[in-house]
Coordinates of all heavy atoms in Angstrom, one line a residue:
L3 N -26.2 69.1 -12.7 CA -25.5 70.2 -11.9 C -23.9 70.0 -12.0 O -23.3 71.1 -12.1 CB -25.9 70.0 -10.4 CG -27.2 70.4 -10.0 CD1 -27.4 70.3 -8.6 CD2 -27.5 71.9 -10.4
T5 N -22.3 69.0 -14.7 CA -21.9 69.5 -16.0 C -22.0 71.0 -16.1 O -21.3 71.7 -16.7 CB -22.7 68.9 -17.1 OG1 -24.1 69.2 -16.9 CG2 -22.4 67.4 -17.2
F7 N -21.6 73.1 -13.3 CA -20.6 73.7 -12.5 C -19.2 73.6 -13.1 O -18.3 74.3 -12.9 CB -20.6 73.0 -11.1 CG -21.7 73.6 -10.2 CD1 -22.5 72.7 -9.6 CD2 -21.9 74.9 -10.0 CE1 -23.5 73.1 -8.8 CE2 -22.9 75.4 -9.2 CZ -23.7 74.5 -8.6
T8 N -19.0 72.5 -14.0 CA -17.7 72.4 -14.6 C -17.7 73.1 -16.0 O -16.7 73.0 -16.8 CB -17.3 70.9 -14.8 OG1 -18.4 70.2 -15.6 CG2 -17.1 70.2 -13.5
Q10 N -19.4 72.5 -18.7 CA -19.3 71.7 -19.9 C -20.6 71.8 -20.7 O -20.6 71.4 -21.9 CB -19.1 70.2 -19.5 CG -17.8 70.0 -18.9 CD -17.7 68.6 -18.4 OE1 -18.6 67.7 -18.5 NE2 -16.5 68.2 -18.0
D15 N -29.2 72.7 -22.0 CA -28.7 71.3 -22.1 C -29.3 70.4 -21.1 O -29.7 69.3 -21.2 CB -27.2 71.2 -22.2 CG -26.7 71.9 -23.5 OD1 -27.4 72.1 -24.4 OD2 -25.5 72.3 -23.4
A16 N -29.1 70.9 -19.8 CA -29.6 70.1 -18.6 C -31.2 69.9 -18.7 O -31.6 68.9 -18.4 CB -29.2 70.8 -17.3
M22 N -35.8 64.8 -22.2 CA -35.5 63.5 -23.0 C -35.6 62.3 -22.1 O -36.2 61.2 -22.6 CB -34.1 63.6 -23.6 CG -34.1 64.6 -24.8 SD -32.4 64.8 -25.5 CE -31.9 63.3 -25.8
W24 N -37.5 61.9 -19.5 CA -38.9 61.8 -19.2 C -39.6 61.1 -20.4 O -40.4 60.2 -20.2 CB -39.5 63.1 -18.8 CG -41.0 63.1 -18.5 CD1 -41.6 62.4 -17.5 CD2 -42.0 63.6 -19.3 NE1 -43.0 62.7 -17.6 CE2 -43.2 63.3 -18.7 CE3 -42.0 64.4 -20.5 CZ2 -44.4 63.8 -19.3 CZ3 -43.2 64.8 -21.0 CH2 -44.4 64.5 -20.4
L31 N -40.9 52.6 -20.9 CA -41.2 51.9 -19.7 C -42.5 52.0 -19.1 O -43.0 51.1 -18.4 CB -40.1 52.4 -18.6 CG -38.7 52.1 -19.0 CD1 -37.8 52.7 -17.9 CD2 -38.4 50.6 -19.1
P40 N -39.2 38.4 -17.9 CA -38.9 37.1 -17.2 C -38.2 37.3 -15.9 O -37.4 38.3 -15.7 CB -37.9 36.4 -18.2 CG -38.2 37.1 -19.5 CD -38.6 38.5 -19.2
E43 N -34.4 37.8 -15.8 CA -33.9 39.1 -16.2 C -34.1 40.1 -15.1 O -33.3 41.0 -14.9 CB -34.6 39.6 -17.4 CG -34.2 38.8 -18.7 CD -34.8 39.4 -20.0 OE1 -35.2 40.5 -20.0 OE2 -34.8 38.6 -21.0
D45 N -34.0 39.4 -12.0 CA -33.0 39.1 -10.9 C -31.7 39.6 -11.3 O -30.8 39.9 -10.5 CB -33.0 37.6 -10.6 CG -34.4 37.2 -10.0 OD1 -35.1 38.0 -9.5 OD2 -34.6 35.9 -10.0
L50 N -26.3 43.4 -13.5 CA -25.8 44.0 -14.8 C -25.6 45.5 -14.7 O -24.7 46.1 -15.3 CB -26.9 43.6 -15.9 CG -27.0 42.2 -16.3 CD1 -28.1 42.0 -17.2 CD2 -25.6 41.7 -16.8
A54 N -22.1 47.4 -15.4 CA -22.0 48.5 -16.3 C -21.4 49.7 -15.7 O -20.6 50.5 -16.2 CB -23.4 48.8 -16.9
T55 N -21.9 50.0 -14.4 CA -21.4 51.2 -13.7 C -19.9 51.0 -13.3 O -19.1 52.0 -13.4 CB -22.2 51.3 -12.4 OG1 -23.6 51.5 -12.7 CG2 -21.8 52.6 -11.6
S56 N -19.5 49.8 -13.0 CA -18.1 49.6 -12.7 C -17.2 49.8 -13.9 O -16.1 50.3 -13.8 CB -17.9 48.1 -12.2 OG -18.7 47.9 -11.0
Y58 N -17.9 51.7 -16.5 CA -17.9 53.1 -16.7 C -17.0 53.8 -15.8 O -16.2 54.7 -16.1 CB -19.3 53.7 -16.6 CG -19.4 55.2 -16.9 CD1 -19.2 55.7 -18.1 CD2 -19.6 56.0 -15.8 CE1 -19.2 57.1 -18.4 CE2 -19.7 57.4 -16.0 CZ -19.5 57.9 -17.3 OH -19.5 59.3 -17.4
A60 N -14.4 52.6 -14.1 CA -13.0 52.2 -14.5 C -12.5 53.1 -15.7 O -11.4 53.5 -15.7 CB -12.9 50.8 -14.8
M61 N -13.4 53.3 -16.7 CA -13.0 54.1 -17.8 C -12.8 55.5 -17.4 O -11.8 56.2 -17.8 CB -14.2 54.1 -18.9 CG -14.3 52.7 -19.6 SD -15.7 52.6 -20.7 CE -15.6 54.1 -21.7
A66 N -8.9 59.8 -16.5 CA -8.3 60.8 -15.6 C -6.8 60.6 -15.3 O -6.1 61.5 -15.3 CB -9.1 60.8 -14.2
V67 N -6.4 59.3 -15.2 CA -5.0 59.0 -14.9 C -4.3 59.4 -16.2 O -3.2 60.0 -16.1 CB -4.9 57.6 -14.5 CG1 -3.4 57.1 -14.6 CG2 -5.4 57.3 -13.1
Y69 N -5.0 61.5 -18.5 CA -5.0 63.0 -18.6 C -3.9 63.5 -17.7 O -3.1 64.4 -18.1 CB -6.4 63.6 -18.3 CG -6.4 65.1 -18.3 CD1 -6.5 65.7 -19.5 CD2 -6.3 65.8 -17.1 CE1 -6.5 67.1 -19.6 CE2 -6.4 67.2 -17.2 CZ -6.5 67.8 -18.5 OH -6.5 69.2 -18.5
I70 N -3.8 63.1 -16.5 CA -2.8 63.6 -15.5 C -1.4 63.2 -16.0 O -0.5 64.1 -16.0 CB -3.1 63.1 -14.1 CG1 -4.4 63.7 -13.6 CG2 -1.9 63.3 -13.2 CD1 -4.9 63.0 -12.3
D73 N -0.6 65.1 -19.4 CA -0.6 66.5 -19.3 C 0.6 67.0 -18.5 O 1.1 68.2 -18.7 CB -1.9 67.0 -18.6 CG -2.1 68.6 -18.7 OD1 -1.8 69.1 -19.8 OD2 -2.6 69.2 -17.8

Side-chain angles (χ1 to χ4, degrees):
L3 289 176
T5 58
F7 283 128
T8 57
Q10 295 177 352
D15 296 336
M22 287 173 52
W24 177 70
L31 298 176
E43 288 184 22
D45 294 340
L50 294 175
T55 303
S56 300
Y58 178 72
M61 288 172 52
V67 169
Y69 178 76
I70 291 169
D73 193 40

